[in-house]
């Protein structure tokens, strides 16, 4: 049975084989027959050139035939029966897609550069090798390469080259496709990292070119969470316009535990039998993997337990200094010692506060009573003063009235008529004297 089977030979390239065994295992030797190495797909930037990496192999018996002819490279659109859009022996005026056969076909290199690639040409392209018409060497290499067009260049890819450790040298890589190696994109960093930058054009295992820029710097804790940007600027034609895209990366700096602290709830002296919770807190990246608790006994730290929290039912033996230690893959850090105080007699401890409270209450009551007495006495004194003042005024008025009445009575007394007694006359008074004085 004669069948055609397609398989991957090297580095992801597509190999087109003619084999006879349906379940035959493909090996590297078979791939040296009629085979083609090229990327399965390529993205072309509109307005820029496009390089298609291409290499082929032919059976050994055709090597002499190839070397004794003038080989030509052709590209067909869509399928092996499709239209020829490029012929290496023709001028640009006759080719539908302008370009040049960059590789040497005698060396089995069919790499081609197309001057431009527009959206209307997105399709599959098949490479064909042929010699002069009298030469039997003619072959279509399947399945071909998918070429797609984009007006917006792909964003640069930012990746850290290994772990970024605090205090150590770190490297970031910014890479952008260079579909047109004659006009590769320029890469620009935007960051506050300082350091040094190195750029170069690299060929990948698939033959595609990539522009790569490496930023080397010393990582610090302040860089953690910092956003770094890298912009790729594509020049479409020499002296022409440009297109720019940008990629971002948020730094993840690894560091050992920091700011480790031990906390107690409740705080202060703890009565016997009451539960107290000790909690360890720490900042680390990656997060803390393990917490350990220690008790300081006479200057010697003794392990107590593992865990973020430590719960104790307090007794006199539990009093002392406690500290915790946080661990992650980058290191560890211990907290400062925290005292845990034991309270043996709660009532005894509270006695000074109770006495103080009673004294304050008595003082407040005493002041309140004194103020009340003072106000009451002031009101009484004021009433007495008002009363005395009123009596004095009445006495003075009565005295004046009495004096005036007496004088008036004395001045208005009627004179006695001779020979007639006055019934109102005092026999011992003035009338009697006058009677004796009459002739």
């Amino acid at each position: 049975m004669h069948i055609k089977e397609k398989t991957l030979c090297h580095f992801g390239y597509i190999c087109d084989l003619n084999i006879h065994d349906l379940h035959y295992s493909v090996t590297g030797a078979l791939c040296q027959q009629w085979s083609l190495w090229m990327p399965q797909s390529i993205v072309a930037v509109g307005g820029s050139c496009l390089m298609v990496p291409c290499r082929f192999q032919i059976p050994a018996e055709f090597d002499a035939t190839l070397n004794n002819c003038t080989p030509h490279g052709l590209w067909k659109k869509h399928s092996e029966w499709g239209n020829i859009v490029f012929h290496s022996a023709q001028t640009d005026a006759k080719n539908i897609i302008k370009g040049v056969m960059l590789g040497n076909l005698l060396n089995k290199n069919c790499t081609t550069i197309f001057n431009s690639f527009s959206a209307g040409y997105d399709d599959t392209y098949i490479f064909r090798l042929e010699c002069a018409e009298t030469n039997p060497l003619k072959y279509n290499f399947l399945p071909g390469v998918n070429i797609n067009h984009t007006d917006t260049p792909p964003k640069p890819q930012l990746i850290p080259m290994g772990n970024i450790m605090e205090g150590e040298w770190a490297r970031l890589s910014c890479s952008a496709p260079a579909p047109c190696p004659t006009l590769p994109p320029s890469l620009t960093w935007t960051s506050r990292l300082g350091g040094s930058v190195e750029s170069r054009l690299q060929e990948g295992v698939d033959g595609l070119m990539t522009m790569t820029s490496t930023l080397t710097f010393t990582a610090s804790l302040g860089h953690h969470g910092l956003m770094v940007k890298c912009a790729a600027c594509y020049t479409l034609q020499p002296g022409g316009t440009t297109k720019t895209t940008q990629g971002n990366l948020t730094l993840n700096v690894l560091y050992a535990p920091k700011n480790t602290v031990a906390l107690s709830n409740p705080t202060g002296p703890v009565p016997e039998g009451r539960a107290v919770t000790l909690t360890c807190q720490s900042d680390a990246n990656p997060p803390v993997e393990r917490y350990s608790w220690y008790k300081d006994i006479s200057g010697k730290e003794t392990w107590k337990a593992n865990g973020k929290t430590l719960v104790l039912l307090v007794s006199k033996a539990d009093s002392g200094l406690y500290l915790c230690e946080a661990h992650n893959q980058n290191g560890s850090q211990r907290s400062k010692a925290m005292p845990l105080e034991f309270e043996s007699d709660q009532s005894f401890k509270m006695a000074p506060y109770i006495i103080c409270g009673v004294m304050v209450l008595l003082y407040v009551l005493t002041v309140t009573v004194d103020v009340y007495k003072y106000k009451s006495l002031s009101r009484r004194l004021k009433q007495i003063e008002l009363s005395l003042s009123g009596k004095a005024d009445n006495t003075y008025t009565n005295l004046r009235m009495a004096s005036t009445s007496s004088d008036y009575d004395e001045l208005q007394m009627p004179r006695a008529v001779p020979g007639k007694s006055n019934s109102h006359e005092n026999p011992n008074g003035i009338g009697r004297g006058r009677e004796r004085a009459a002739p």
Side-chain angles (χ1 to χ4, degrees), residues 62-70 106-108 131 137:
F62 289 95
D63 284 341
T65 303
L66 175 64
N67 293 330
N68 292 326
C69 80
T70 302
L106 293 175
N107 294 330
K108 302 173 184 177
C131 288
L137 183 56

Side-chain angles (χ1 to χ4, degrees), residues 30-51:
L30 288 176
C31 281
Q32 293 178 3
Q33 301 301 309
W34 295 103
S35 58
L36 182 73
W37 285 264
M38 68 167 60
Q40 297 183 44
S41 62
I42 303 176
V43 177
V45 177
S48 183
C49 74
L50 174 65
M51 185 185 76

Side-chain angles (χ1 to χ4, degrees), residues 154-159 173-177 185 187 189 202 210-213 230 232 234:
K155 291 183 178 181
Q157 298 296 315
L158 277 75
I159 58 172
S173 172
C174 175
S175 59
L187 302 179
W189 292 90
Q202 294 178 307
T210 301
M211 192 67 184
T212 302
S213 178
C230 179
Y234 288 82

